[in-house]
């Protein structure tokens, strides 16, 4: 706790920051919080975090954080007053979100890549959250500010966000053995709510999954069923196995313009201090299996913390059935169908899981030969390259174009030289120092392509280059 006079002054400065920049993105999501913390210190954040009457929820994971947070915001805002942040997932952005008056619940996306910059234990101590939510965990950026970040260190930093929680609920994906491991370790301290699939998916996951180590004994986990990437029904000879989900999709019907799902839940609600039950059918946009997981995660979190559990079914059906593809955050993968019949799929895929999700979504549109324009990782990110190439091999593109995705053109050419004999491939050293020039260079590749199906994904400046490229493609082709 900080001095009350200092706290009030810091809060006043933070609110002044909101008036100065507005909340339209960019600095608007971080500058007010930065001002607050500059004048109030980290201790003042602990004061601010106590203002939401019910408490705050933090969402983290490798993929799906922003989409899940956006869905959760829509769900909870239907029942109560909330404050929130998403996309700008820093401590400054959290402080900015908390500066809103009269919120009952705070909802905050938070990215963690390592202990030093993610400061997970400090965030947990300062915010004292009633909920920590995990989407899924897989290899992401293997270096942070030029320093190698081993996966174990990355995983431990993610786990640390809930390590010292003594109240509230931890929400985890039961189909992901890594998040399930976090949940099983917390069951002795507090309530854990799990979500997952309990149905036969009517969609082909054509990836041959790499062996996944058991988080307990480090031996290879055996899967009875794979739903997507390393998610599925699994067990290990040591006894570790997939927990039974408390909220689950029990039926899925895929149609060209929408997906119809049945969801069942028996989940502990924080406000009521007892379990709530629900079962309903709803429809969603055809936005991929990975977004079904995001839907489940948001619903599980909503059902766990809504102060109006009697509204779960009606609110969820209203929100989910009204979703469009616009729920996909800026820069994320989407498929653009041109008047001439070209299918152009593009968006960021900065890690193996994300690129697999992009390919799975694109595969629904493939009806002819395909060209893959792959934007590479940088120096020191060889593990990401290895994950990417294993997935690209399975789609078997008729033509592969290697393009620098990050800073180093030399790194991109090195990656190209490693795989050029395995594909019908060529290297395109697109201008990459200025985003506008890079966008023009990639669009030129698309315009010159003879293929009906083109997928452009991989690494790049998060959101910005992809959003500019999507906008240019839509303007020039549609």
């Amino acid at each position: 706790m900080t001095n009350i006079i200092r706290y009030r002054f810091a809060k006043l400065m933070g609110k002044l920051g909101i008036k100065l920049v507005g909340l339209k993105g960019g600095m608007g999501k971080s500058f007010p919080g930065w001002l607050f913390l500059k004048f109030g210190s980290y201790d003042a954040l602990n004061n601010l975090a106590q203002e939401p009457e019910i408490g705050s929820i933090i969402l983290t994971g490798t993929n799906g954080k922003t989409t899940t947070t956006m869905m959760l915001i829509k769900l909870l805002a239907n029942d109560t007053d909330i404050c929130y942040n998403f996309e700008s997932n820093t401590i400054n952005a959290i402080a900015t979100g908390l500066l809103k008056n009269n919120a009952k619940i705070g909802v905050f996306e938070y990215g963690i890549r390592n202990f030093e910059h993610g400061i997970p234990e400090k965030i947990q101590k300062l915010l004292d959250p009633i909920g920590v939510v995990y989407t899924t965990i897989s290899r992401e950026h293997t270096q942070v500010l030029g320093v190698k970040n081993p996966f174990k260190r990355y995983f431990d930093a993610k786990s640390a966000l809930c390590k010292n929680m003594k109240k509230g609920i931890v929400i985890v994906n039961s189909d992901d053995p890594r998040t399930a491991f976090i949940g099983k370790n917390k069951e002795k301290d507090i309530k854990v709510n799990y979500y997952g699939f309990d149905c036969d998916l009517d969609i082909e996951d054509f990836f041959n999954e790499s062996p996944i180590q058991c988080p307990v004994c480090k031996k290879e986990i055996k899967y009875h069923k794979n739903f997507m990437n390393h998610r599925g029904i699994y067990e290990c000879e040591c006894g570790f196995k997939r927990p039974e989900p408390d909220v689950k999709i029990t039926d899925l019907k895929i149609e060209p313009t929408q997906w119809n799902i049945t969801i069942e839940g028996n989940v502990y609600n924080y406000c009521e201090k007892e379990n709530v039950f629900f079962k309903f059918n709803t429809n969603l946009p055809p936005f991929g299996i990975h977004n079904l997981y995001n839907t489940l995660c948001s619903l599980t979190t909503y059902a766990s913390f809504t102060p109006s559990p009697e509204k779960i079914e009606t609110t969820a059906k209203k929100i989910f059935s009204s979703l469009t593809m616009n729920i996909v955050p800026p820069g994320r993968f989407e498929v653009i169908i041109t008047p001439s019949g070209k299918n152009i799929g593009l968006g960021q895929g900065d890690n193996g899981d994300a690129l697999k999700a992009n390919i799975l979504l694109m595969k629904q549109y493939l009806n002819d030969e395909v060209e893959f324009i792959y934007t590479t990782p940088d120096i020191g990110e060889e593990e990401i390259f290895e994950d990417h190439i294993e997935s690209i091999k399975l789609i078997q593109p008729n033509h592969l174009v290697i393009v620098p995705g990050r800073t180093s053109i030399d790194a991109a050419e090195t990656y190209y030289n490693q795989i050029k004999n395995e594909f019908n491939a060529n290297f395109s050293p697109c201008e990459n120092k200025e985003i506008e020039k890079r966008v023009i260079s990639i669009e030129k590749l698309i315009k010159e392509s003879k293929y009906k199906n083109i997928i452009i994904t991989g690494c790049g400046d998060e959101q910005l280059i992809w959003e500019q490229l999507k906008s240019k493609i839509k303007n020039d082709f549609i």
Side-chain angles (χ1 to χ4, degrees), residues 366-373 392-393 395-401 422-426 449-455:
L366 298 184
N367 52 14
D368 205 336
E369 293 184 334
V370 59
E371 181 173 64
F372 203 123
I373 299 174
I392 294 173
K393 285 178 182 177
I395 200 173
Q396 297 181 332
N398 300 89
H399 186 227
L400 177 67
V401 183
E422 298 183 53
F423 297 92
N424 172 25
N426 66 280
S449 174
K450 67 178 183 179
Y451 294 91
K452 183 177 179 179
N453 302 290
I454 308 168
I455 178 171

Side-chain angles (χ1 to χ4, degrees), residues 7 10-18 23 27-52 56-58 83-86 88-101 103 106-110 119 123 126-127:
Y7 170 64
K11 194 173 177 183
L12 178 66
M13 296 302 295
K15 289 185 176 294
L16 176 62
I18 291 174
L23 286 175
M27 283 185 63
K29 291 189 174 184
S30 59
F31 180 68
W34 177 84
L35 269 181
F36 172 82
L37 292 172
K38 179 176 177 61
F39 288 99
S41 78
Y42 277 175
D43 286 341
L45 184 61
N46 185 253
N47 294 64
L48 194 61
Q50 295 179 39
E51 296 206 359
S56 290
I57 303 162
I58 310 175
C83 59
Y84 57 86
N85 83 282
F86 59 92
S88 182
N89 47 14
T90 64
I91 190 170
N92 293 337
I94 290 176
T96 298
L98 282 166
L99 285 166
K100 177 185 175 182
N101 290 326
V107 177
F108 305 107
E109 175 186 346
Y110 194 63
I119 54 172
I123 289 291
L126 292 173
L127 263 66

Side-chain angles (χ1 to χ4, degrees), residues 317-333:
K317 290 173 72 172
K318 180 177 79 172
I319 298 300
F320 291 149
S321 63
S322 68
L323 293 176
T324 67
M325 290 301 291
N326 290 332
I327 193 67
V328 177
R332 301 314 198 272
F333 192 84

